[in-house]
Amino acid sequence: MIGLGRVERYVLVRAFAAVGAALAVISSIVLLIQFVDLSRQVGVRADVGAPEILTLTVLRAPSLIQILLPFVFLFGGIMGYVGLNRRSELIAMRAAGVSAWRFILPFAGAAFAVGVVAITVLNPLAAAMNARFEAERSRMMENYLGDIPKDVWLRQGDERNQIVIHARARDMVGGAVRLRGVSLFVYQKNPTTGAPEFRRRLEAAEARLMPGFWQLRDVREATAGETSVRSDSLSIRSSLDAEGAMERFASPEAIAFWRLPAAIEATEQAGFSAAGYRLRWHQLLSTPLLFAAMAVLAAAFSLRLVRLGGLAGLAGMGVALGFVVFFFNQFSGALARADILPLFAAAWAPALVALLSGLTLLCYTEDG
């Protein structure tokens, strides 16, 4: 808060106190709902008690809370500004000649800074905890959960070779990815035409991803025009690591911010579309702007003079507009994934629309 006056610091502290209260309330609700949901899922096992369910809840919570952080700033900002307004503190400041922009812009700037921290620190932490949550949940509920994907498809390759991998099931053993019931289809690029040409097929009972290679067990290898060859074990070079392989199984939302560029490059190198990862990358980059936009919206719907009435209704409209922005964000993402909207526009439009809406309303209601 260096460079801010006493008034700005006071309003900023009050606003962030309300944001903290909103975060506590929303986090408590998320934890409660998630605990109940996991109790219904994991509770089918008699050997899983409340401590294990609570551990899963804590591992899952950061991923859910980061989705709701824009609402934390919207609700907390509205609570903070409405409280100052009802105590006539904002009225006294403005009567003394203090412009509303002096205590709106610091809050918006602080929200932007928190957004930067959220995508650079909280997002990787949430992704790591979510990965551990999935691993623990799969371990606890092996052969119980029906929503765990059975068939697995992977693709890896370089400038000369492409390998398509199919497996009936996957899990983690000792920190290594293990595939069961594995089929590997090896293709080699034609040096003249560049088209992939089938070279051989390998069937294995199990494949473990070790550093730099796949370790296959109980292998049968077949090459076009030749008889199959059996072997107890076989190693196949791999460009994947354990984390990268698990990212292929996960949705773009489950990949950490810092690993998204590598995931985009590896996906495109393997011949897949990286549109989902690129959309997620731009959505994360727009998060600080979205936080600032929510802070501006909170102020825009909370500064109406109490004596004029309608402050509660105006604040309620601000909350409703926040939900509209959320659904607009989801809708834009769906249109981008369907190749109807450009990825850049779909990711940045919700934050820009929210920010411009708040600034427009403030320009009409504030006289400087």
Side-chain angles (χ1 to χ4, degrees):
M1 291 185 288
I2 298 175
L4 298 179
R6 181 175 298 177
V7 172
E8 291 87 346
R9 290 198 302 270
Y10 176 79
V11 174
L12 190 59
V13 168
R14 291 290 185 180
F16 263 89
V19 168
L23 178 61
V25 172
I26 291 177
S27 299
S28 299
I29 295 174
V30 168
L31 287 171
L32 178 61
I33 294 175
Q34 187 65 22
F35 184 85
V36 173
D37 184 54
L38 287 173
S39 298
R40 295 174 59 186
Q41 294 181 15
V42 186
V44 298
R45 291 194 54 169
D47 58 337
V48 176
E52 289 82 4
I53 297 175
L54 182 60
T55 300
L56 290 178
T57 302
V58 172
L59 291 174
R60 177 62 173 161
S63 297
L64 300 176
I65 292 174
Q66 71 171 346
I67 299 175
L68 301 176
L69 277 179
F71 290 99
V72 170
F73 276 92
L74 178 64
F75 298 159
I78 290 176
M79 289 167 52
Y81 283 123
V82 167
L84 291 171
N85 208 346
R86 290 191 180 279
R87 292 193 297 271
S88 300
E89 292 178 87
L90 293 183
I91 299 174
M93 295 177 193
R94 297 164 79 181
V98 177
S99 171
W101 297 102
R102 285 182 55 185
F103 48 79
I104 293 174
L105 294 182
F107 182 46
F112 186 92
V114 173
V116 173
V117 175
I119 65 173
T120 56
V121 179
L122 177 60
N123 176 264
L125 177 63
M129 294 179 69
N130 188 66
R132 186 178 171 189
F133 162 80
E134 292 293 346
E136 290 294 323
R137 178 172 173 264
S138 300
R139 180 185 61 80
M140 291 182 183
M141 299 303 296
E142 188 174 7
N143 300 325
Y144 280 84
L145 289 176
D147 60 342
I148 295 179
K150 298 301 181 183
D151 276 10
V152 174
W153 288 94
L154 283 173
R155 188 171 178 176
Q156 66 177 48
D158 51 29
E159 294 79 7
R160 294 188 304 170
N161 298 299
Q162 294 285 334
I163 301 177
V164 178
I165 304 171
H166 172 254
R168 290 195 299 269
R170 63 161 173 101
D171 56 13
M172 296 286 291
V173 177
V177 177
R178 181 178 68 174
L179 305 179
R180 289 173 288 176
V182 187
S183 300
L184 294 91
F185 305 88
V186 182
Y187 296 83
Q188 189 174 39
K189 289 186 179 180
N190 188 302
T192 304
T193 63
E197 297 178 350
F198 176 75
R199 290 302 181 190
R200 57 178 176 155
R201 174 175 176 173
L202 298 96
E203 301 282 346
E206 178 183 294
R208 295 197 185 194
L209 181 57
M210 311 304 290
F213 65 95
W214 288 98
Q215 183 66 52
L216 309 180
R217 183 179 62 82
D218 191 10
V219 188
R220 185 178 67 179
E221 180 179 356
T223 305
E226 299 182 10
T227 58
S228 61
V229 178
R230 289 185 175 273
S231 56
D232 294 333
S233 63
L234 184 67
S235 297
I236 297 292
R237 182 181 175 185
S238 175
S239 58
L240 299 173
D241 55 16
E243 191 170 1
M246 293 304 293
E247 286 172 354
R248 301 293 179 89
F249 308 136
S251 64
E253 289 74 15
I255 301 179
F257 172 77
W258 297 111
R259 288 191 61 87
L260 273 172
I264 292 171
E265 182 180 358
T267 301
E268 291 180 340
Q269 187 180 29
F272 289 105
S273 171
Y277 298 117
R278 290 189 179 277
L279 175 63
R280 178 60 176 169
W281 172 252
H282 284 291
Q283 285 177 334
L284 288 176
L285 290 177
S286 67
T287 295
L289 186 63
L290 181 60
F291 282 19
M294 289 301 186
V296 172
L297 280 176
F301 285 95
S302 307
L303 299 183
R304 182 182 177 89
L305 295 176
V306 178
R307 60 181 175 82
L308 297 179
L311 180 60
L314 196 61
M317 290 176 58
V319 173
L321 183 59
F323 283 103
V324 170
V325 171
F326 176 79
F327 287 112
F328 178 48
N329 190 17
Q330 299 299 312
F331 182 64
S332 299
L335 292 180
R337 284 186 285 271
D339 292 328
I340 298 175
L341 281 180
L343 298 178
F344 183 86
W348 289 87
L352 289 173
V353 169
L355 180 62
L356 293 176
S357 299
L359 290 176
T360 301
L361 182 58
L362 283 172
C363 288
Y364 273 103
T365 56
E366 297 300 320
D367 56 0

